[in-house]
Amino acid sequence: MRSETVRNEPVDTLILGAGAAGMMCAIHAAARGDRVLVVDHARAPGEKIRISGGGRCNFTNTGATARNFLSANPHFAKSALGRYTPRDFIAMVDRHGIPWHEKTLGQLFCDNSAKDIIAMLVGEMRKAGAELRLGTVLESIARKEDGFAATLGGEGAATVACRRFVVACGGKSIPKMGATGLGYRIAEQFGLAVTETRAGLVPLTFGEDVLAGFREIAGVAADARVSCGKTSFDEALLFTHRGLSGPAILQISSYWRERQPVRVAFLPDCDLLAELKASKRENGRRTIVNALGEILPKRLAAHLSALHGWSGTMGEASDRRLSAIAAALQGWDLFPIGTEGYRTAEVTLGGVDTAGLDSRTMEAKSVPGLYFIGEVVDVTGWLGGYNFQWAWSSGWAAGTAIAERTGR
């Protein structure tokens, strides 16, 4: 039985999840005086923010548009992303005096710590009057005539009546941090469809026949173009004891499906055949493996030479053989058997079907007052700050829509 001391609390908006999207929503939903309560099972807010970007949080990408996102409806994200842009979030960061820098491909990181972003969001929530309650779990949520009734357990145990309920509890990625499919179950409870979910931005795994060779070069990284179907990414890949990782692999993993090959092209912008012919002219006595070691990591060159039987000297290699070597280096087809799954996935692909949501407000079309934002929605970004921008944009869209309806 529940304790007699459990509080009965009325709030205007209850937000489930104190992550990037949930806190952003709270800041704006409370802007006109509504009572906003944010609850999370974790002991600290923004835990995924804290660990992101090697602890420095890749908080946005300057080039973020709907083209950088996967969804059953590729147009759905346009509204939120177009109305709350990377420039808007950068302005917020700048107002708080948080130093940042740009790495490659428009990726922005904190100079000091991801904790600066968390402190900014918590401070903005406090300023707006939103309440944050940690160590608190949602035990049940039900529709009532004038809104919703939620039963909360844990340290913040209470029964809460609210006019609006926002689901911002993320997807299934990184379960050791408490990630579950709760948001999807809530959607289904209220009659919303959920698309197929799977791990995204995740390392690829291979059978033992391939892994035996990969283990010999574990830790080796190389720039490459990694492709699956018509999609490709030019970034680094990393060989590991379990398979392939690195930015290019994480990116392509969101597009890869079982039984599909992944094509790796080393030095994709280089005329590799011309390079090999030049090397042959300069020193025909150099072995092929040593010549390849001049343009690729030496351990990788040795592995590929052994794999393909590239022995002998450059002088002994005909132009036809050099052409075959170049073609193999820029067209290496690999067949993953799976991924490392949600354990190491940065995001969850799929989620609450956008067909059931209003793209301007993130509100469920069939359930007034019910909102879904952030990763729980079927909108998944590329690696490089895009998913945080979706969190800021979708949280802003829902929060401002809620504030506009307060009538205050």
Side-chain angles (χ1 to χ4, degrees), residues 105-352:
L105 305 174
Q107 302 170 29
L108 305 190
F109 290 77
C110 296
D111 284 357
N112 298 321
S113 170
K115 294 179 181 178
D116 292 341
I117 299 293
I118 298 172
M120 175 188 75
L121 296 169
V122 171
E124 288 286 334
M125 280 199 299
R126 186 181 300 114
K127 180 180 176 181
E131 179 186 353
L132 174 61
R133 194 174 297 176
L134 301 169
T136 301
V137 297
L138 178 74
E139 294 183 349
S140 68
I141 181 73
R143 186 82 167 118
K144 300 297 182 183
E145 185 176 346
D146 57 349
F148 303 86
T151 302
L152 305 179
E155 295 179 9
T159 56
V160 175
C162 57
R163 288 189 291 161
R164 291 170 290 270
F165 181 56
V166 182
V167 181
C169 53
K172 300 177 182 178
S173 58
I174 318 182
K176 70 178 180 181
M177 298 186 69
T180 67
L182 175 59
Y184 311 133
R185 294 195 296 273
I186 293 171
E188 291 170 339
Q189 174 187 335
F190 288 102
L192 276 73
V194 176
T195 68
E196 176 193 8
T197 56
R198 55 194 177 92
L201 300 182
V202 63
L204 298 174
T205 58
F206 294 82
E208 186 57 36
D209 55 333
V210 176
L211 278 185
F214 282 5
R215 291 192 185 104
E216 298 174 359
I217 52 174
V220 172
D223 290 333
R225 176 172 297 149
V226 179
S227 306
C228 185
K230 296 180 180 179
T231 304
S232 63
F233 293 93
D234 288 19
E235 291 189 71
L237 63 76
L238 174 69
F239 294 89
T240 76
H241 286 89
R242 294 182 294 273
L244 288 175
S245 187
I249 295 299
L250 299 186
Q251 296 278 37
I252 210 65
S253 71
S254 294
Y255 294 84
W256 175 81
R257 299 305 294 259
E258 290 74 9
R259 292 182 293 278
Q260 282 186 307
V262 168
R263 171 160 288 195
V264 174
F266 296 109
L267 306 169
D269 296 321
C270 171
D271 185 341
L272 198 49
L273 178 57
E275 289 283 329
L276 294 175
K277 287 181 177 179
S279 177
K280 176 180 177 179
R281 289 193 301 270
E282 292 167 6
N283 186 352
R285 291 180 294 178
R286 181 190 294 138
T287 63
I288 293 174
V289 65
N290 285 341
L292 293 179
E294 296 293 324
I295 56 177
L296 293 172
K298 288 182 170 53
R299 287 170 60 198
L300 176 59
H303 171 74
L304 292 172
S305 295
L307 179 68
H308 294 285
W310 296 333
S311 59
T313 66
M314 293 294 289
E316 295 169 339
S318 65
D319 286 355
R320 182 176 180 180
R321 189 180 189 200
L322 293 180
S323 179
I325 291 172
L329 290 175
Q330 295 187 322
W332 188 17
D333 287 334
L334 293 163
F335 287 83
I337 62 170
T339 75
E340 290 190 7
Y342 292 115
R343 180 181 64 83
T344 58
E346 297 202 15
V347 294
T348 303
L349 290 157
V352 178

